Amino acid sequence: MDINKRILITAVIVTLTINLNAQGLLQKAKSGNVRSMYVLANQYYNGVGMLQSYKDAFIWYKQAADKNNIESQYKTAYMYENGLGTAENLTNAFNYYLMAAERGNEKSQMKVATMFDQGIGTTKSTARAMLWYRLCAERNEVFAQRRLGDMYLEGDPVEQNLQEAAYWYEKAVQQNDTPSMACLAYILSCNQSVRPDYERALKLLDIPLKNNDPMAQFTYAELLYNGYEVEQDKQKAMEYYNLANAQGLTLASEMIAIEKYNKYHDISGFLSIGLKKITKAESWFIIGSEYENGINLKKDKKEAIKCYKQAAELGSLEAEERLAELQTKPAKKKRR
């Protein structure tokens, strides 16, 4: 028998075997065998032993998912999310991811965290996202570690805690996560609750700056502006603040607002940011003085005291002096 005939016979035998196996698998799946449903769905999905068909794959994944097959729950969610073999349905995608996540599927747990975080397929809830991120972070998922750091840094949905933020960013930095390097550098140089380490902050900024990271640009600007670990250069600092501001970083917008006020006595920069996003003692002191003196803002002693208190809590000695004077100054008696 020549080689070509042998190849042909072998191919026929293999094809028959595959067909028989496929028929047997299909019969088992139809009779309710969950594992067979999942395996059959995989074969349709990948085109193994039969023509690829996302539609048939989806049918069998969903049947297995509804019988609590965890792998099928993940795949059903994935196909709903991406519109494979079925119409895209993010609500259904979230529900199936949640089913799998609650039973321990790690990929689904990360998906549930991000979908809660971004409000995709479900109501946005950073508090619930945080619970799932923590679960993922504790098994060393780098993105989850970074998002936990972000949440503690931003104070949403928990109270701001820079020590806790630094802990999670450090975990992510150990896995070479570039955005976490920039955020950790910021914490190490912002002079709030965590002991400053300007030397390490500068080293951490190397890669993020090359990647045009806005937090890195802002933090480097801060080092330049204050002369920490680098030669003070306020002009160059403003260039980096503007780079970060162009990417929408509110922290940079605040520094530009301070510079604008110092040059032109213009508070519009602070008003465009909004008081809820103000973070610097100098900013709060400026706004407090405006409320106290009634130049660019309507004179309001109570608002002035609130702003000075914020500035004092952030370390402003000037604000403490103004508070002491305003709180001891007797109120003017109204004329009858």
Side-chain angles (χ1 to χ4, degrees):
M1 187 182 296
D2 62 37
I3 187 71
N4 290 330
K5 285 184 177 179
R6 287 180 181 176
I7 292 172
L8 181 59
I9 291 169
T10 302
V12 170
I13 293 170
V14 169
T15 302
L16 287 171
T17 303
I18 289 173
N19 288 337
L20 287 171
N21 288 339
Q23 288 176 13
L25 189 62
L26 180 59
Q27 286 303 116
K28 288 181 180 179
K30 285 182 175 179
S31 67
N33 185 286
V34 178
R35 188 65 192 172
S36 296
M37 292 176 186
Y38 172 69
V39 174
L40 183 62
N42 279 340
Q43 291 189 359
Y44 274 121
Y45 188 91
N46 296 304
V48 176
M50 57 192 66
L51 290 175
Q52 185 188 54
S53 170
Y54 286 140
K55 183 178 180 179
D56 287 315
F58 175 78
I59 289 169
W60 288 109
Y61 277 136
K62 188 174 184 304
Q63 285 195 47
D66 291 339
K67 291 181 178 291
N68 290 323
N69 179 269
I70 189 171
E71 296 96 339
S72 295
Q73 288 169 341
Y74 170 77
K75 290 296 290 187
T76 300
Y78 179 83
M79 296 184 83
Y80 267 130
E81 182 183 14
N82 295 282
L84 298 175
T86 187
E88 180 185 296
N89 188 318
L90 296 178
T91 300
N92 285 347
F94 173 79
N95 290 335
Y96 277 96
Y97 279 133
L98 185 60
M99 288 179 200
E102 289 175 340
R103 299 182 63 218
N105 183 271
E106 294 182 357
K107 290 181 181 178
S108 295
Q109 289 170 348
M110 180 58 80
K111 291 297 296 187
V112 167
T114 56
M115 292 176 88
F116 268 132
D117 197 9
Q118 298 170 35
I120 296 172
T122 187
T123 304
K124 181 180 173 68
S125 172
T126 51
R128 296 184 73 177
M130 191 175 196
L131 294 174
W132 287 104
Y133 277 137
R134 185 176 293 278
L135 184 66
C136 298
E138 287 172 351
R139 63 165 178 265
N140 224 26
E141 291 272 2
V142 66
F143 181 76
Q145 291 169 340
R146 186 207 306 168
R147 282 299 293 133
L148 280 180
D150 293 342
M151 288 172 168
Y152 279 112
L153 176 61
E154 295 163 6
D156 178 27
V158 290
E159 187 176 343
Q160 187 185 61
N161 186 326
L162 296 188
Q163 291 177 324
E164 195 72 18
Y167 172 82
W168 288 111
Y169 284 136
E170 187 71 71
K171 292 276 189 184
V173 165
Q174 289 170 12
Q175 298 192 67
N176 298 314
D177 185 63
T178 301
S180 295
M181 293 175 189
C183 291
L184 182 58
Y186 166 73
I187 290 172
L188 293 176
S189 59
C190 71
N191 295 308
Q192 295 179 39
S193 78
V194 175
R195 184 177 180 180
D197 187 341
Y198 304 119
E199 182 179 0
R200 183 160 184 239
L202 191 60
K203 289 178 181 176
L204 284 167
L205 291 175
D206 184 45
I207 295 173
L209 281 173
K210 290 175 182 175
N211 289 346
N212 202 34
D213 184 285
M215 182 62 91
Q217 292 166 340
F218 172 80
T219 304
Y220 187 54
E222 290 280 274
L223 297 177
L224 287 166
Y225 194 88
N226 295 290
Y228 297 145
E229 202 60 34
V230 291
E231 185 177 346
Q232 189 175 46
D233 188 335
K234 292 191 175 183
Q235 183 176 348
K236 190 176 179 181
M238 292 311 302
E239 291 174 9
Y240 277 93
Y241 283 132
N242 280 308
L243 286 173
N245 182 53
Q247 296 195 65
L249 189 68
T250 303
L251 290 168
S253 305
E254 187 176 350
M255 276 307 300
I256 292 168
I258 291 172
E259 190 73 5
K260 188 176 182 180
Y261 182 84
N262 290 337
K263 281 186 176 181
Y264 309 111
H265 210 68
D266 182 348
I267 66 165
S268 61
F270 297 115
L271 299 179
S272 64
I273 294 169
L275 294 186
K276 289 183 179 180
K277 295 183 179 179
I278 297 296
T279 64
K280 289 184 172 291
E282 186 176 356
S283 300
W284 284 114
F285 182 83
I286 289 169
I287 298 165
S289 65
E290 287 293 333
Y291 274 122
E292 181 184 2
N293 299 310
I295 298 172
N296 291 297
L297 292 172
K298 186 178 180 181
K299 197 168 185 177
D300 190 323
K301 182 179 176 181
K302 287 184 179 179
E303 288 299 320
I305 288 173
K306 284 181 186 178
C307 293
Y308 284 141
K309 280 182 177 179
Q310 290 279 4
E313 286 174 6
L314 291 168
S316 171
L317 297 177
E318 287 180 290
E320 288 182 12
E321 291 173 4
R322 295 306 308 137
L323 271 175
E325 185 172 339
L326 285 174
Q327 290 175 331
T328 56
K329 188 185 291 185
K332 290 182 179 179
K333 293 182 179 179
K334 292 182 181 180
R335 292 180 180 180
R336 292 182 179 179

